Amino acid sequence: MEAAATQSSLSSVRADPSTLYPSLDWSRSIIVLGIESTAHTFGVGIASSRKPYILANVRRSYQPLKGGIHPREAASHHVSVSAQVLAEALEKAGVGISEINAIAVALGPGLGPALRVGATIARGLAAYYRKPLVAVNHALAHIEVARFYAGFEDPLVLYVSGGNTMVTAYARGRYRVFGETLDIALGNLLDTFAREVGLAPPYVKEGLHAVDHCALRAREPLLLPYTVKGMDVSYSGLLTAALRAWHRVRGMERHSVCLGLREVAYGAAVEVAERGLMHTRKNALLLTGGVAASPVLQEKAGIMAKLHDRRFAAPPPELAGDNGAMIAWLGLLNYLAGLVVEPEEAVVRQRWRLDMVEAPWR
Ligand code: FE2
């Protein structure tokens, strides 16, 4: 029921935070501990305002034995691993709790029972050790850790994960959503298909999804419905059509279903990102979220960006998927900007949209 822990070295961070966040005071030495528990992953990361910036990034993921994520099972998984993950993160960072300046926690969006585990632990730590508490939006954390990793000042972002598929960019105080999925997210599409046809586990190796892996042996893609409406994508019809096709064919033809599914799914996301780049005239494309770890999607998005003479980057897998380091990093930015909350204000917000969150440090 559990995947291995991951430790991020983040030795490859390219950016100088004082150029990306010039309004913040980087002369202060601040260390923030961040807790992630929005979905299948419980993670604790520790970020510092001094190099190497990310001191620890430890996580454990719940993998359902059958079916999709069961929120309460995910929550009990998080409870069972939390003490160990917290201890490992502090040990890897080489800091004691007394050296932590603030506790950050992802309060949404996500699954209620899973979110409440992180929120309860964060409130408890903050109250017991008398530390300021920082509320973090999970989607914004995915974006800012990737932006910091890439060193991009003002990219267009394609954020793709199990729960989100959106094209977004910063404008006047917050990130604006230019396009998104009208139904299910890209990661959910791939995971559901893989599970329904017995291709699980969803992620195999080196970021290759089970669907990418199945597609490797295809001779040609099966034609499947492609739905892009303006700046939005729709994946539920594609899922239904791919499942029907899978059960209609046998043998090698099933690999063609995987290839068709992958080409349509990634192609639609890259198409709306391309239109977003043209509309916003941003000079860089940044891929982030769990599905950003796919080398196939990275290649497609990278080729598109290059065609338009734009820069392109995607973070390494340990920062692309859900992790505590991204919560700690955004927590550090919020803390430096003076955005702290009282423990009683730190309530979970299951539908906390990215475009509702102020980003005063930009
Ligand atoms: Fe996520």
Side-chain angles (χ1 to χ4, degrees):
M1 170 160 170
E2 208 176 292
T6 316
Q7 166 69 15
S8 164
S9 64
L10 248 201
S11 51
S12 45
V13 161
R14 301 162 201 175
D16 172 0
S18 62
T19 59
L20 282 186
Y21 310 99
S23 65
L24 300 178
D25 179 6
W26 292 95
S27 67
R28 301 165 67 192
S29 177
I30 299 293
I31 298 178
V32 174
L33 181 143
I35 300 174
E36 158 63 29
S37 76
T38 61
H40 47 54
T41 298
F42 183 84
V44 174
I46 297 176
S48 165
S49 60
R50 297 272 189 274
K51 262 185 176 173
Y53 306 118
I54 303 294
L55 308 180
N57 187 19
V58 179
R59 60 181 170 176
R60 300 273 195 288
S61 291
Y62 147 80
Q63 285 172 348
L65 297 171
K66 195 167 169 260
I69 299 181
H70 189 294
R72 272 192 294 275
E73 270 184 22
S76 58
H77 163 268
H78 297 347
V79 170
S80 68
V81 301
S82 56
Q84 180 67 28
V85 171
L86 180 63
E88 265 182 52
L90 288 167
E91 193 193 321
K92 288 208 162 115
V95 296
I97 196 87
S98 62
E99 293 162 84
I100 303 283
N101 295 91
I103 307 290
V105 60
L107 291 179
L111 307 170
L115 280 166
R116 280 190 281 277
V117 176
T120 304
I121 293 169
R123 283 191 299 254
L125 287 174
Y128 186 77
Y129 292 105
R130 298 176 194 275
K131 308 280 182 191
L133 192 56
V134 184
V136 163
N137 177 280
H138 176 90
L140 189 51
H142 268 300
I143 293 170
E144 281 309 311
V145 85
R147 194 169 76 88
F148 178 51
Y149 168 80
F152 288 170
E153 282 189 17
D154 190 23
L156 183 88
V157 180
L158 175 58
Y159 166 31
V160 280
S161 67
N164 288 282
T165 303
M166 61 173 70
V167 175
T168 177
Y170 177 84
R172 297 191 308 279
R174 62 179 71 182
Y175 279 86
R176 313 283 166 168
V177 179
F178 293 97
E180 58 193 318
T181 179
L182 297 170
D183 37 61
I184 59 172
L186 176 51
N188 190 5
L189 162 74
L190 299 175
D191 291 352
T192 306
F193 177 81
R195 199 170 59 235
E196 295 282 316
V197 304
L199 288 176
Y203 281 88
V204 236
K205 54 180 176 179
E206 285 147 17
L208 270 192
H209 193 278
V211 175
D212 290 335
H213 206 69
C214 161
L216 287 175
R217 294 178 66 196
R219 279 190 283 268
E220 56 181 17
L222 184 84
L223 287 178
L224 289 168
Y226 182 100
T227 312
V228 167
K229 296 179 181 175
M231 283 296 296
D232 296 324
V233 294
S234 164
Y235 287 135
S236 64
L238 172 61
L239 174 61
T240 307
L243 287 172
R244 276 201 194 126
W246 177 275
H247 294 298
R248 205 172 51 232
V249 301
R250 288 283 174 274
M252 288 303 289
E253 279 186 85
R254 287 187 161 172
H255 297 290
S256 302
V257 179
C258 292
L259 183 58
L261 171 62
R262 183 191 86 184
E263 290 299 303
V264 170
Y266 292 165
V270 172
E271 183 193 325
V272 291
E274 182 175 32
R275 199 167 299 132
L277 267 184
M278 298 302 102
H279 280 316
T280 59
R281 300 173 184 240
K282 302 288 184 188
N283 66 5
L285 174 64
L286 181 62
L287 193 58
T288 194
V291 187
S294 165
V296 181
L297 179 60
Q298 285 183 19
E299 188 187 5
K300 287 181 187 299
I303 288 171
M304 181 274 281
K306 198 172 174 198
L307 275 173
H308 296 291
D309 208 18
R310 295 330 204 255
R311 291 190 294 160
F312 171 77
E318 71 266 25
L319 290 183
D322 291 354
N323 66 88
M326 69 184 197
I327 307 303
W329 181 250
L330 181 50
L332 175 68
L333 301 180
N334 282 349
Y335 179 77
L336 288 174
L339 297 178
V340 296
V341 296
E342 293 301 321
E344 59 271 24
E345 295 171 330
V347 289
V348 306
R349 298 169 72 181
Q350 290 184 58
R351 299 187 195 285
W352 192 13
R353 276 181 64 89
L354 172 69
D355 48 11
M356 295 160 72
V357 190
E358 299 290 343
W361 25 257
R362 280 281 313 243

